[in-house]
Amino acid sequence: MVRISATKCFLLCITMSLCIYFIFRCDPNPQNAARSENVENNLNPKFQPVQNMDEEREVKHTINDISDWHPHTLAVIVPFRDRFEELMEFAPWIHTFLNNQKIPHKIVVVNQIDSHRFNRASLINIGFLKTRDECDYLVMHDVDLLPNNAELLYHFPEKGPYHLASPEYHPMYHYKTYIGGVLMMTIKHFQMCRGLSNTFWGWGREDDELYLRFRENSLTLYRPTGLRTGYETFKHIHDKERRPRDYKRYGEQKKTQFQRDKTTGYDTLRYTLESERVLTIDEAPVHVYNVELFCDKTKTPWCDHSR
Ligand code: UDP
Ligand code: MN
């Protein structure tokens, strides 16, 4: 039989109580701590002030969390009008997806509230103007495309534009020069192109025009490869009966839709910011800009449907 003196027994109890106290006091999953900081801040956790760090252990814990987050901040720019249900699904989905990759991000919905035809490119240009000072890269992201493969990386596209919804993986568009749906660019490369043309009203072709801007600026396009999820790499939550596309083409638009627009870009855009809101959808903070686009009818008379 092993005999323990009363003093030894007392010391043993104290040591065990201290151990139990420290085990329960620490967050069992350090990633959770980093995530919740990021949610509150919306931006890169490196900007989080370090407060009340009176214990060395806690300071180390925070520094570790910060250092394994991606060093760049991504603006997720969503061109938007009348897609409430899709946004309810998209915002929490992309927020979780990017948090899993430890990408500091800000979700920005640019909501077109005027009565002109939808202008995806101009809304993306506004998203750029609103985020360029706080983010160093952006992804123009359709609200109805949900990344469905964890190997799709939303990392900083240093070398050139990175087309995530590539023709090899997009559920619907498979032509070689397609760059729509989900496309990432650094702020620098976006500036080189002057963003997108503002002359496209109605569905489509603004992305094809951006492709011509890449070529003109000698920007190399990159895409993911080797994914095994094929056309299911993204979920396309698009009900074509409820969300019909505005394919109509009027007059000159039939011709200009295939041409490079040398005159317009984010620097020529005219719009009014009617209001600004921050919503939280589940855990996801969403910045909404309600905007009215200006249409110069002498230049793009097709911005409204003819009666
Ligand atoms: N969009 C929108 N409201 C519209 C038309 C388009 O919000 O009335 C946005 C939305 O983000 C959508 C994207 O523009 O995902 C592309 O439009 P759509 O899905 O109709 O085109 P597709 O790529 O499916 O042909
Ligand atoms: Mn769609």
Side-chain angles (χ1 to χ4, degrees):
M1 222 150 108
V2 183
R3 286 184 185 218
I4 303 175
S5 70
T7 324
K8 275 190 184 156
C9 185
F10 176 68
L11 283 174
L12 200 64
C13 285
I14 294 277
T15 316
M16 279 173 70
S17 313
L18 279 173
C19 284
I20 289 167
Y21 170 73
F22 281 118
I23 285 167
F24 282 100
R25 203 167 170 271
C26 296
D27 185 342
N29 180 1
Q31 285 180 11
N32 288 344
R35 267 178 216 169
S36 56
E37 272 175 22
N38 192 32
V39 170
E40 267 182 40
N41 221 20
N42 292 331
L43 286 172
N44 196 330
K46 77 185 170 205
F47 298 128
Q48 184 76 8
V50 180
Q51 284 167 350
N52 301 325
M53 295 300 172
D54 45 355
E55 284 183 52
E56 202 193 344
R57 196 170 33 75
E58 265 186 40
V59 173
K60 274 193 195 136
H61 182 177
T62 308
I63 289 169
N64 284 341
D65 287 344
I66 292 168
S67 61
D68 64 348
W69 275 71
H70 194 59
H72 299 278
T73 301
L74 172 66
V76 179
I77 297 173
V78 184
F80 186 85
R81 172 192 266 169
D82 295 339
R83 293 283 187 276
F84 183 76
E85 288 84 352
E86 290 88 334
L87 181 62
M88 292 301 110
E89 222 179 312
F90 173 79
W93 182 292
I94 198 73
H95 185 58
T96 305
F97 196 87
L98 294 172
N99 278 345
N100 288 342
Q101 291 184 16
K102 301 197 168 187
I103 311 258
H105 59 276
K106 177 172 183 172
I107 302 171
V108 169
V109 169
V110 191
N111 180 30
Q112 185 178 342
I113 60 166
D114 56 67
S115 48
H116 299 305
R117 299 170 73 193
F118 190 68
N119 188 329
R120 181 175 177 272
S122 293
L123 300 175
I124 293 166
N125 282 339
I126 294 172
F128 158 80
L129 293 170
K130 288 287 166 200
T131 55
R132 62 174 163 184
D133 295 335
E134 51 184 329
C135 298
D136 26 32
Y137 68 124
L138 60 83
V139 57
M140 41 195 102
H141 214 304
D142 282 3
V143 73
D144 60 9
L145 285 173
L146 311 181
N148 204 19
N149 181 333
E151 289 169 43
L152 279 170
L153 298 179
Y154 283 66
H155 291 171
F156 188 71
E158 177 118 44
K159 292 192 272 177
Y162 190 67
H163 186 219
L164 283 145
S166 94
E168 200 185 338
Y169 303 121
H170 190 284
M172 210 175 147
Y173 301 115
H174 307 136
Y175 59 95
K176 251 173 103 176
T177 58
Y178 175 67
I179 57 162
V182 187
L183 174 73
M184 286 203 301
M185 291 178 79
T186 64
I187 295 298
K188 191 178 107 194
H189 292 152
F190 195 88
Q191 272 163 344
M192 278 168 67
C193 299
R194 291 174 63 208
L196 288 84
S197 164
N198 299 309
T199 62
F200 290 78
W201 303 86
W203 174 90
R205 299 292 163 230
E206 76 294 337
D207 43 5
D208 298 328
E209 200 274 347
L210 179 60
Y211 184 82
L212 302 178
R213 293 181 184 221
F214 289 174
R215 283 227 305 243
E216 215 172 274
N217 287 286
S218 307
L219 286 175
T220 308
L221 179 70
Y222 295 85
R223 290 185 170 126
T225 52
L227 303 179
R228 274 170 294 184
T229 36
Y231 296 153
E232 280 159 31
T233 302
F234 287 86
K235 262 199 342 171
H236 193 194
I237 48 168
H238 189 139
D239 178 338
K240 65 178 196 301
E241 312 300 324
R242 281 187 70 209
R243 310 295 196 212
R245 298 176 176 94
D246 173 9
Y247 291 127
K248 207 94 182 109
R249 296 293 185 253
Y250 299 101
E252 279 289 283
Q253 192 185 11
K254 293 189 187 92
K255 198 172 77 198
T256 60
Q257 64 170 326
F258 298 112
Q259 292 169 352
R260 164 79 166 93
D261 160 31
K262 298 257 184 193
T263 53
T264 79
Y266 67 77
D267 51 339
T268 65
L269 180 64
R270 291 171 70 187
Y271 74 101
T272 314
L273 175 61
E274 192 269 339
S275 59
E276 208 176 313
R277 295 274 185 280
V278 185
L279 318 175
T280 305
I281 305 175
D282 295 344
E283 298 283 291
V286 177
H287 298 253
V288 181
Y289 293 100
N290 293 313
V291 300
E292 285 177 19
L293 301 178
F294 172 81
C295 166
D296 182 345
K297 291 222 173 177
T298 61
K299 291 187 178 135
T300 56
W302 54 85
C303 64
D304 292 328
H305 287 292
S306 313
R307 273 164 245 266

